Structure formats: structure tokens, C-alpha cells
Amino acid sequence: MTRTRRTAAVLAATTALLAAGATAPAAARSENASASCYGGAVSLTYRYSAAAVEFGTYTTTSRCSDINIKLSSSATGFLDACVVFVDHTTLCNHDNTYSTFGPQWATVATDVKDGTRFKLRVHAYDTDAQVVPFQLAF
């Protein structure tokens, strides 16, 4: 009889926790979301060119809500990049301007709808950027 009461108490406590919406801490959920987004990143290599170089056409997925870039830790120099939403324009986002990116994950375009087709347009920040491996997560 005692075992039945104990089992009932454990079941009641578990049910109460589930009903209250007990979940993993927010920081853990955020890390998991970032890991799944960056885990699907495409590895690319920029080779110096006087003109901008385009990569893609890519299509955004539900894996990431943004388009993100990260230069390899072995990269020398920085890259300037922007996104061109090919079904809508031939110009870069952010009023046709480039932003400079380095070895940390950074956002090139935010809150992009799933299924959006885009190209990444890149040019060297300076002449140190001769061969620059980088990753693109979308």
C-alpha cells in the first residue's frame, strides 16, 4: 500500500511539473538553436578579386532565422559582405551597402523568411584578404 501511495505522489508531481510547462533553461535552448543553425553552415573560400564576388544562389531554411557569416580563425584580413535577395533586386540589403566581418559569427541579414533565395556578395576589406575561408549559415 505504501508503494502505491509513493508512486501516486511521484506521478502527481511529474504531472504538475509538465502542466506548469517545465522546460530547459532559456540559455540552453538558445545554445541548442545556435548550434543547429551554425551546424548546418556551408564552408566557402573567397579569393581576392578587384570586383565583388558572388556566392550562391542559396535558399533560407527554418534552421536559422538570419543569414550569418564567420571567417575562419586561420583567415588573415576581413571581408565586406552583403546579401542580395535575388527574387526582388540586384542590389545589396541595407541600402546597397556592405558590412565588415571577421572571425566571430555575425549577421548579414536578420529575420529572413524561410524559402527566400539569396546570393552573398563579398569583397576584400583590404589586400590582406587574399584567400579567406569562411562559413555561411542560413
Side-chain angles (χ1 to χ4, degrees), residues 104-125:
Q104 301 297 321
W105 281 110
T107 303
V108 186
T110 58
D111 296 326
V112 183
K113 282 181 157 182
D114 292 353
T116 301
R117 294 176 355 110
F118 71 96
K119 291 183 181 185
L120 182 72
R121 192 174 288 163
V122 177
H123 70 77
Y125 173 76

PDB file of all heavy atoms in Angstrom, residues 104-125:
ATOM      1  N   GLN A 104      34.216  36.103 -35.821  1.00  0.00           N
ATOM      2  CA  GLN A 104      33.094  35.751 -34.949  1.00  0.00           C
ATOM      3  C   GLN A 104      31.815  35.655 -35.785  1.00  0.00           C
ATOM      4  O   GLN A 104      31.671  36.363 -36.775  1.00  0.00           O
ATOM      5  CB  GLN A 104      32.899  36.814 -33.862  1.00  0.00           C
ATOM      6  CG  GLN A 104      34.108  37.026 -32.978  1.00  0.00           C
ATOM      7  CD  GLN A 104      34.478  35.779 -32.187  1.00  0.00           C
ATOM      8  OE1 GLN A 104      33.603  35.065 -31.704  1.00  0.00           O
ATOM      9  NE2 GLN A 104      35.758  35.509 -32.064  1.00  0.00           N
ATOM     10  N   TRP A 105      30.888  34.800 -35.374  1.00  0.00           N
ATOM     11  CA  TRP A 105      29.614  34.738 -36.077  1.00  0.00           C
ATOM     12  C   TRP A 105      28.948  36.100 -36.019  1.00  0.00           C
ATOM     13  O   TRP A 105      28.896  36.733 -34.963  1.00  0.00           O
ATOM     14  CB  TRP A 105      28.674  33.705 -35.449  1.00  0.00           C
ATOM     15  CG  TRP A 105      28.984  32.298 -35.852  1.00  0.00           C
ATOM     16  CD1 TRP A 105      29.498  31.317 -35.070  1.00  0.00           C
ATOM     17  CD2 TRP A 105      28.793  31.724 -37.140  1.00  0.00           C
ATOM     18  NE1 TRP A 105      29.637  30.152 -35.791  1.00  0.00           N
ATOM     19  CE2 TRP A 105      29.217  30.380 -37.072  1.00  0.00           C
ATOM     20  CE3 TRP A 105      28.316  32.211 -38.356  1.00  0.00           C
ATOM     21  CZ2 TRP A 105      29.167  29.512 -38.165  1.00  0.00           C
ATOM     22  CZ3 TRP A 105      28.264  31.351 -39.438  1.00  0.00           C
ATOM     23  CH2 TRP A 105      28.687  30.024 -39.347  1.00  0.00           C
ATOM     24  N   ALA A 106      28.481  36.564 -37.161  1.00  0.00           N
ATOM     25  CA  ALA A 106      27.790  37.847 -37.248  1.00  0.00           C
ATOM     26  C   ALA A 106      26.667  37.731 -38.273  1.00  0.00           C
ATOM     27  O   ALA A 106      26.690  36.878 -39.162  1.00  0.00           O
ATOM     28  CB  ALA A 106      28.753  38.954 -37.638  1.00  0.00           C
ATOM     29  N   THR A 107      25.688  38.603 -38.159  1.00  0.00           N
ATOM     30  CA  THR A 107      24.502  38.561 -39.011  1.00  0.00           C
ATOM     31  C   THR A 107      24.649  39.492 -40.204  1.00  0.00           C
ATOM     32  O   THR A 107      24.939  40.670 -40.045  1.00  0.00           O
ATOM     33  CB  THR A 107      23.274  38.963 -38.179  1.00  0.00           C
ATOM     34  OG1 THR A 107      23.185  38.074 -37.071  1.00  0.00           O
ATOM     35  CG2 THR A 107      22.009  38.876 -38.991  1.00  0.00           C
ATOM     36  N   VAL A 108      24.441  38.937 -41.398  1.00  0.00           N
ATOM     37  CA  VAL A 108      24.466  39.731 -42.627  1.00  0.00           C
ATOM     38  C   VAL A 108      23.060  40.238 -42.938  1.00  0.00           C
ATOM     39  O   VAL A 108      22.884  41.340 -43.443  1.00  0.00           O
ATOM     40  CB  VAL A 108      25.017  38.915 -43.816  1.00  0.00           C
ATOM     41  CG1 VAL A 108      25.172  39.781 -45.049  1.00  0.00           C
ATOM     42  CG2 VAL A 108      26.335  38.252 -43.477  1.00  0.00           C
ATOM     43  N   ALA A 109      22.047  39.433 -42.627  1.00  0.00           N
ATOM     44  CA  ALA A 109      20.645  39.823 -42.826  1.00  0.00           C
ATOM     45  C   ALA A 109      19.826  39.182 -41.706  1.00  0.00           C
ATOM     46  O   ALA A 109      20.031  38.021 -41.371  1.00  0.00           O
ATOM     47  CB  ALA A 109      20.145  39.371 -44.184  1.00  0.00           C
ATOM     48  N   THR A 110      18.900  39.957 -41.128  1.00  0.00           N
ATOM     49  CA  THR A 110      18.121  39.466 -39.993  1.00  0.00           C
ATOM     50  C   THR A 110      16.671  39.181 -40.372  1.00  0.00           C
ATOM     51  O   THR A 110      16.129  39.764 -41.307  1.00  0.00           O
ATOM     52  CB  THR A 110      18.118  40.488 -38.840  1.00  0.00           C
ATOM     53  OG1 THR A 110      17.590  41.727 -39.325  1.00  0.00           O
ATOM     54  CG2 THR A 110      19.509  40.720 -38.300  1.00  0.00           C
ATOM     55  N   ASP A 111      16.074  38.275 -39.624  1.00  0.00           N
ATOM     56  CA  ASP A 111      14.652  37.928 -39.772  1.00  0.00           C
ATOM     57  C   ASP A 111      14.252  37.667 -41.217  1.00  0.00           C
ATOM     58  O   ASP A 111      13.322  38.274 -41.750  1.00  0.00           O
ATOM     59  CB  ASP A 111      13.767  39.031 -39.181  1.00  0.00           C
ATOM     60  CG  ASP A 111      13.975  39.186 -37.690  1.00  0.00           C
ATOM     61  OD1 ASP A 111      14.225  38.165 -37.021  1.00  0.00           O
ATOM     62  OD2 ASP A 111      13.888  40.321 -37.196  1.00  0.00           O
ATOM     63  N   VAL A 112      14.953  36.749 -41.849  1.00  0.00           N
ATOM     64  CA  VAL A 112      14.693  36.412 -43.248  1.00  0.00           C
ATOM     65  C   VAL A 112      13.712  35.247 -43.301  1.00  0.00           C
ATOM     66  O   VAL A 112      13.892  34.240 -42.616  1.00  0.00           O
ATOM     67  CB  VAL A 112      16.010  36.053 -43.980  1.00  0.00           C
ATOM     68  CG1 VAL A 112      15.752  35.767 -45.443  1.00  0.00           C
ATOM     69  CG2 VAL A 112      17.028  37.175 -43.814  1.00  0.00           C
ATOM     70  N   LYS A 113      12.663  35.390 -44.107  1.00  0.00           N
ATOM     71  CA  LYS A 113      11.647  34.342 -44.234  1.00  0.00           C
ATOM     72  C   LYS A 113      12.253  33.065 -44.792  1.00  0.00           C
ATOM     73  O   LYS A 113      13.119  33.104 -45.671  1.00  0.00           O
ATOM     74  CB  LYS A 113      10.549  34.783 -45.210  1.00  0.00           C
ATOM     75  CG  LYS A 113       9.553  35.731 -44.663  1.00  0.00           C
ATOM     76  CD  LYS A 113       8.524  36.028 -45.753  1.00  0.00           C
ATOM     77  CE  LYS A 113       7.220  36.495 -45.190  1.00  0.00           C
ATOM     78  NZ  LYS A 113       6.248  36.717 -46.275  1.00  0.00           N
ATOM     79  N   ASP A 114      11.756  31.920 -44.309  1.00  0.00           N
ATOM     80  CA  ASP A 114      12.156  30.628 -44.859  1.00  0.00           C
ATOM     81  C   ASP A 114      11.808  30.590 -46.344  1.00  0.00           C
ATOM     82  O   ASP A 114      10.771  31.113 -46.758  1.00  0.00           O
ATOM     83  CB  ASP A 114      11.414  29.490 -44.156  1.00  0.00           C
ATOM     84  CG  ASP A 114      11.827  29.332 -42.704  1.00  0.00           C
ATOM     85  OD1 ASP A 114      12.784  30.007 -42.281  1.00  0.00           O
ATOM     86  OD2 ASP A 114      11.181  28.535 -42.003  1.00  0.00           O
ATOM     87  N   GLY A 115      12.677  29.981 -47.140  1.00  0.00           N
ATOM     88  CA  GLY A 115      12.420  29.841 -48.573  1.00  0.00           C
ATOM     89  C   GLY A 115      12.840  31.047 -49.397  1.00  0.00           C
ATOM     90  O   GLY A 115      12.584  31.088 -50.593  1.00  0.00           O
ATOM     91  N   THR A 116      13.518  32.020 -48.787  1.00  0.00           N
ATOM     92  CA  THR A 116      13.973  33.212 -49.513  1.00  0.00           C
ATOM     93  C   THR A 116      15.273  32.893 -50.246  1.00  0.00           C
ATOM     94  O   THR A 116      16.225  32.382 -49.653  1.00  0.00           O
ATOM     95  CB  THR A 116      14.203  34.390 -48.541  1.00  0.00           C
ATOM     96  OG1 THR A 116      12.976  34.666 -47.874  1.00  0.00           O
ATOM     97  CG2 THR A 116      14.686  35.623 -49.271  1.00  0.00           C
ATOM     98  N   ARG A 117      15.300  33.203 -51.535  1.00  0.00           N
ATOM     99  CA  ARG A 117      16.508  32.952 -52.333  1.00  0.00           C
ATOM    100  C   ARG A 117      17.427  34.169 -52.262  1.00  0.00           C
ATOM    101  O   ARG A 117      16.964  35.294 -52.361  1.00  0.00           O
ATOM    102  CB  ARG A 117      16.132  32.639 -53.779  1.00  0.00           C
ATOM    103  CG  ARG A 117      15.365  31.324 -53.883  1.00  0.00           C
ATOM    104  CD  ARG A 117      14.846  30.962 -55.264  1.00  0.00           C
ATOM    105  NE  ARG A 117      15.015  31.929 -56.305  1.00  0.00           N
ATOM    106  CZ  ARG A 117      15.860  31.799 -57.350  1.00  0.00           C
ATOM    107  NH1 ARG A 117      16.604  30.726 -57.463  1.00  0.00           N
ATOM    108  NH2 ARG A 117      15.928  32.734 -58.265  1.00  0.00           N
ATOM    109  N   PHE A 118      18.740  33.900 -52.091  1.00  0.00           N
ATOM    110  CA  PHE A 118      19.694  34.994 -51.960  1.00  0.00           C
ATOM    111  C   PHE A 118      21.076  34.593 -52.466  1.00  0.00           C
ATOM    112  O   PHE A 118      21.380  33.414 -52.620  1.00  0.00           O
ATOM    113  CB  PHE A 118      19.806  35.436 -50.487  1.00  0.00           C
ATOM    114  CG  PHE A 118      20.516  34.445 -49.602  1.00  0.00           C
ATOM    115  CD1 PHE A 118      21.871  34.584 -49.336  1.00  0.00           C
ATOM    116  CD2 PHE A 118      19.842  33.375 -49.034  1.00  0.00           C
ATOM    117  CE1 PHE A 118      22.541  33.668 -48.530  1.00  0.00           C
ATOM    118  CE2 PHE A 118      20.493  32.468 -48.231  1.00  0.00           C
ATOM    119  CZ  PHE A 118      21.846  32.609 -47.973  1.00  0.00           C
ATOM    120  N   LYS A 119      21.871  35.612 -52.725  1.00  0.00           N
ATOM    121  CA  LYS A 119      23.294  35.450 -53.014  1.00  0.00           C
ATOM    122  C   LYS A 119      24.052  36.246 -51.972  1.00  0.00           C
ATOM    123  O   LYS A 119      23.571  37.270 -51.485  1.00  0.00           O
ATOM    124  CB  LYS A 119      23.651  35.985 -54.398  1.00  0.00           C
ATOM    125  CG  LYS A 119      23.077  35.164 -55.526  1.00  0.00           C
ATOM    126  CD  LYS A 119      23.529  35.704 -56.873  1.00  0.00           C
ATOM    127  CE  LYS A 119      22.910  34.860 -57.985  1.00  0.00           C
ATOM    128  NZ  LYS A 119      23.399  35.248 -59.313  1.00  0.00           N
ATOM    129  N   LEU A 120      25.244  35.782 -51.644  1.00  0.00           N
ATOM    130  CA  LEU A 120      26.134  36.528 -50.769  1.00  0.00           C
ATOM    131  C   LEU A 120      27.149  37.225 -51.656  1.00  0.00           C
ATOM    132  O   LEU A 120      27.820  36.586 -52.457  1.00  0.00           O
ATOM    133  CB  LEU A 120      26.850  35.595 -49.791  1.00  0.00           C
ATOM    134  CG  LEU A 120      27.767  36.294 -48.797  1.00  0.00           C
ATOM    135  CD1 LEU A 120      26.944  37.040 -47.752  1.00  0.00           C
ATOM    136  CD2 LEU A 120      28.710  35.306 -48.136  1.00  0.00           C
ATOM    137  N   ARG A 121      27.237  38.531 -51.546  1.00  0.00           N
ATOM    138  CA  ARG A 121      28.197  39.321 -52.328  1.00  0.00           C
ATOM    139  C   ARG A 121      29.325  39.730 -51.389  1.00  0.00           C
ATOM    140  O   ARG A 121      29.080  40.298 -50.333  1.00  0.00           O
ATOM    141  CB  ARG A 121      27.510  40.536 -52.936  1.00  0.00           C
ATOM    142  CG  ARG A 121      28.343  41.244 -53.968  1.00  0.00           C
ATOM    143  CD  ARG A 121      27.551  42.349 -54.647  1.00  0.00           C
ATOM    144  NE  ARG A 121      26.548  41.777 -55.544  1.00  0.00           N
ATOM    145  CZ  ARG A 121      25.503  42.463 -56.028  1.00  0.00           C
ATOM    146  NH1 ARG A 121      25.313  43.726 -55.688  1.00  0.00           N
ATOM    147  NH2 ARG A 121      24.640  41.885 -56.837  1.00  0.00           N
ATOM    148  N   VAL A 122      30.559  39.435 -51.780  1.00  0.00           N
ATOM    149  CA  VAL A 122      31.721  39.632 -50.914  1.00  0.00           C
ATOM    150  C   VAL A 122      32.825  40.361 -51.661  1.00  0.00           C
ATOM    151  O   VAL A 122      33.046  40.123 -52.849  1.00  0.00           O
ATOM    152  CB  VAL A 122      32.265  38.252 -50.445  1.00  0.00           C
ATOM    153  CG1 VAL A 122      33.516  38.400 -49.604  1.00  0.00           C
ATOM    154  CG2 VAL A 122      31.202  37.482 -49.694  1.00  0.00           C
ATOM    155  N   HIS A 123      33.514  41.248 -50.946  1.00  0.00           N
ATOM    156  CA  HIS A 123      34.778  41.781 -51.465  1.00  0.00           C
ATOM    157  C   HIS A 123      35.732  41.981 -50.300  1.00  0.00           C
ATOM    158  O   HIS A 123      35.335  41.976 -49.135  1.00  0.00           O
ATOM    159  CB  HIS A 123      34.594  43.045 -52.312  1.00  0.00           C
ATOM    160  CG  HIS A 123      34.188  44.270 -51.591  1.00  0.00           C
ATOM    161  ND1 HIS A 123      35.038  45.033 -50.846  1.00  0.00           N
ATOM    162  CD2 HIS A 123      32.984  44.884 -51.501  1.00  0.00           C
ATOM    163  CE1 HIS A 123      34.389  46.069 -50.339  1.00  0.00           C
ATOM    164  NE2 HIS A 123      33.134  45.988 -50.711  1.00  0.00           N
ATOM    165  N   ALA A 124      37.004  42.091 -50.626  1.00  0.00           N
ATOM    166  CA  ALA A 124      38.036  42.190 -49.597  1.00  0.00           C
ATOM    167  C   ALA A 124      37.955  43.524 -48.877  1.00  0.00           C
ATOM    168  O   ALA A 124      37.760  44.563 -49.500  1.00  0.00           O
ATOM    169  CB  ALA A 124      39.409  42.019 -50.224  1.00  0.00           C
ATOM    170  N   TYR A 125      38.123  43.480 -47.576  1.00  0.00           N
ATOM    171  CA  TYR A 125      38.196  44.702 -46.778  1.00  0.00           C
ATOM    172  C   TYR A 125      39.510  45.419 -47.090  1.00  0.00           C
ATOM    173  O   TYR A 125      39.551  46.629 -47.181  1.00  0.00           O
ATOM    174  CB  TYR A 125      38.106  44.343 -45.299  1.00  0.00           C
ATOM    175  CG  TYR A 125      38.348  45.499 -44.367  1.00  0.00           C
ATOM    176  CD1 TYR A 125      37.361  46.459 -44.176  1.00  0.00           C
ATOM    177  CD2 TYR A 125      39.550  45.624 -43.684  1.00  0.00           C
ATOM    178  CE1 TYR A 125      37.572  47.521 -43.315  1.00  0.00           C
ATOM    179  CE2 TYR A 125      39.762  46.677 -42.817  1.00  0.00           C
ATOM    180  CZ  TYR A 125      38.785  47.628 -42.647  1.00  0.00           C
ATOM    181  OH  TYR A 125      38.991  48.674 -41.799  1.00  0.00           O
TER     182      TYR A 125
END
